[in-house]
Amino acid sequence: MDPKASAKGRVCVTGASGFLASWLIKLLLQAGYHVIGTVRDPGNHDKVSHLWELEGAKEQLKLVKADLMEDGSFDEAIAGCKGVFHLASPVVTVKSDPKAEILDPAVRGTLNVLKSCKKNKSLRRIVLTSSSSTVRVRDDIDPNVALDESSWSSIELCERLQVWYAMGKILAEKAAWEFAKANELDMVVVLPTFIIGPSLSPDLCYTALDVLDLLKGETKKFAMHGRMGYVHIDDAARCHIFVYENINAWGRHLCSSKVLDNDELGAFLAKRYPYLPIPTRFEDFYGGKQSYEYNTSKLRKMGFQFKGLEEMFDDCIGSLKDQGYLKY
């Protein structure tokens, strides 16, 4: 792969085989970038074969081995890149010790990537994927004031509710901001809400499996969502490129199309897809109805537009049917 042949230059995408990262790579290749994708095992055909099927992959994609928990593991992948999109994140089920199994790896993995970025003097910008869960887990929400990029979730509440994924994202993002500022790195952050859309990989991630369960009538996992923002996967991927290319982009960026309660989501889905056993009643996980909205004016004022709820679920359900996960 000759990075000089690219009109857009060379960029690195960590966690390349993931749900969102795969879509981001697809769009980067279409836009003319050469992409260095990091995975734990480039030779694992089951995990990476869908990436090689992308248009332009054979000419513009290279997969390299890297591990979030190994110091210096990302040096080779990031060297010579103009941009780094850091999406890789340790997602594990807590067995006994959330600090050792989720929190420490989230922070250490992010800092390992940023330390490699610091060594690359030609690097222009880092785009870090965080999560809207770093914004919305609070017990002092004013329903009359929409949450925006200045909002942060409560670590204490995350710990009390045992929302370890959100807590890991908060700690990792805050550590990243501290490191980036101390080392004068140009970094911007994307905060996607719950991502809906087609999976490029035949193996569904946790997010897609949760949606599949819902479409089959299961309520347990979505009951924990309460009120949630939703965004099309194409928008989430496009947003990463948008803030990378836009010289006026700075700080954090909430990436969300629509916020709904579970009962609102269930009613919408049941009406639009009456042939599926969509549940319309959900357990009250939070002990009362949540009330918040997201203020996404920062992205919208920059010219970014979001797809609607109908398109994200139409595309998602069509993909699940094509892949054989849904039969109707």
Side-chain angles (χ1 to χ4, degrees):
M1 183 177 72
D2 180 11
K4 296 179 180 178
S6 169
K8 293 290 188 75
R10 183 164 65 179
V11 295
C12 176
V13 177
T14 70
S17 62
F19 180 39
L20 176 55
S22 297
W23 263 87
L24 174 58
I25 290 173
K26 175 183 177 179
L27 298 186
L28 286 168
L29 294 176
Q30 289 177 353
Y33 287 95
H34 274 266
V35 180
I36 310 295
T38 72
V39 290
R40 280 178 291 183
D41 181 6
N44 187 334
H45 179 78
D46 291 340
K47 291 286 188 182
V48 304
S49 60
H50 65 283
L51 295 174
W52 292 117
E53 294 171 4
L54 296 174
E55 181 182 351
K58 290 179 174 57
E59 299 80 22
Q60 298 163 236
L61 176 65
K62 180 180 180 181
L63 296 181
V64 299
K65 178 181 174 62
D67 190 319
L68 285 170
M69 302 310 292
E70 291 181 13
D71 294 342
S73 185
F74 291 83
D75 287 359
E76 178 185 349
I78 289 173
C81 287
K82 295 295 183 184
V84 171
F85 297 87
H86 177 41
L87 286 80
S89 178
V91 179
V92 296
T93 302
V94 176
K95 296 177 182 177
S96 60
D97 185 351
K99 185 176 188 297
E101 295 164 16
I102 291 185
L103 306 183
D104 287 347
V107 174
R108 181 179 168 186
T110 295
L111 291 179
N112 276 344
V113 171
L114 293 184
K115 287 173 184 176
S116 295
C117 290
K118 180 184 176 182
K119 297 174 185 177
N120 178 2
K121 301 304 181 184
S122 62
L123 187 69
R124 189 181 75 81
R125 173 166 283 179
I126 303 158
V127 181
L128 173 71
T129 308
S130 188
S131 166
S132 64
S133 64
T134 65
V135 168
R136 62 179 169 79
V137 187
R138 306 161 58 106
D139 49 16
D140 61 347
I141 293 176
D142 183 344
N144 299 309
V145 180
L147 298 172
D148 63 15
E149 288 83 2
S150 67
S151 308
W152 282 92
S153 292
S154 163
I155 291 178
E156 292 77 14
L157 182 59
C158 288
E159 189 165 14
R160 191 162 76 240
L161 296 175
Q162 297 187 2
V163 187
W164 305 120
Y165 172 80
M167 192 168 172
K169 284 292 188 181
I170 296 165
L171 296 175
E173 189 189 336
K174 287 193 171 185
W177 279 121
E178 184 177 341
F179 185 92
K181 289 173 182 176
N183 292 279
E184 299 182 338
L185 297 174
D186 182 342
M187 186 181 82
V188 293
V189 173
V190 177
L191 309 169
T193 50
F194 196 90
I195 299 173
I196 302 290
S199 173
L200 297 178
S201 169
D203 293 331
L204 300 183
C205 67
Y206 290 117
T207 301
L209 286 171
D210 285 359
V211 175
L212 179 61
D213 284 347
L214 179 69
L215 298 174
K216 289 183 174 181
E218 297 291 329
T219 63
K220 185 176 181 181
K221 292 176 182 175
F222 262 75
M224 295 182 65
H225 291 184
R227 186 168 176 81
M228 181 71 73
Y230 296 91
V231 67
H232 196 298
I233 188 159
D234 181 58
D235 289 345
R238 285 192 306 112
C239 182
H240 282 70
I241 301 174
F242 183 80
V243 298
Y244 172 71
E245 294 182 340
N246 193 319
I247 59 172
N248 295 318
W250 60 274
R252 312 171 85 204
H253 302 81
L254 264 171
C255 183
S256 181
S257 173
K258 184 76 173 176
V259 181
L260 295 170
D261 292 325
N262 277 337
D263 55 355
E264 293 173 323
L265 176 66
F268 162 79
L269 294 175
K271 182 178 180 180
R272 190 167 181 85
Y273 315 105
Y275 45 85
L276 293 173
I278 307 294
T280 55
R281 296 178 66 86
F282 296 83
E283 182 183 343
D284 182 7
F285 179 77
Y286 288 96
K289 190 171 182 178
Q290 297 174 296
S291 181
Y292 68 85
E293 292 289 342
Y294 286 127
N295 178 353
T296 58
S297 62
K298 184 174 182 179
L299 273 175
R300 294 179 190 273
K301 286 178 180 177
M302 292 164 63
F304 193 85
Q305 296 181 332
F306 293 96
K307 293 179 169 67
L309 204 65
E310 295 82 2
E311 189 170 355
M312 67 177 83
F313 276 98
D314 284 354
D315 291 348
C316 174
I317 290 172
S319 173
L320 289 171
K321 183 182 179 182
D322 291 343
Q323 291 179 311
Y325 288 106
L326 276 180
K327 295 179 174 61
Y328 57 87

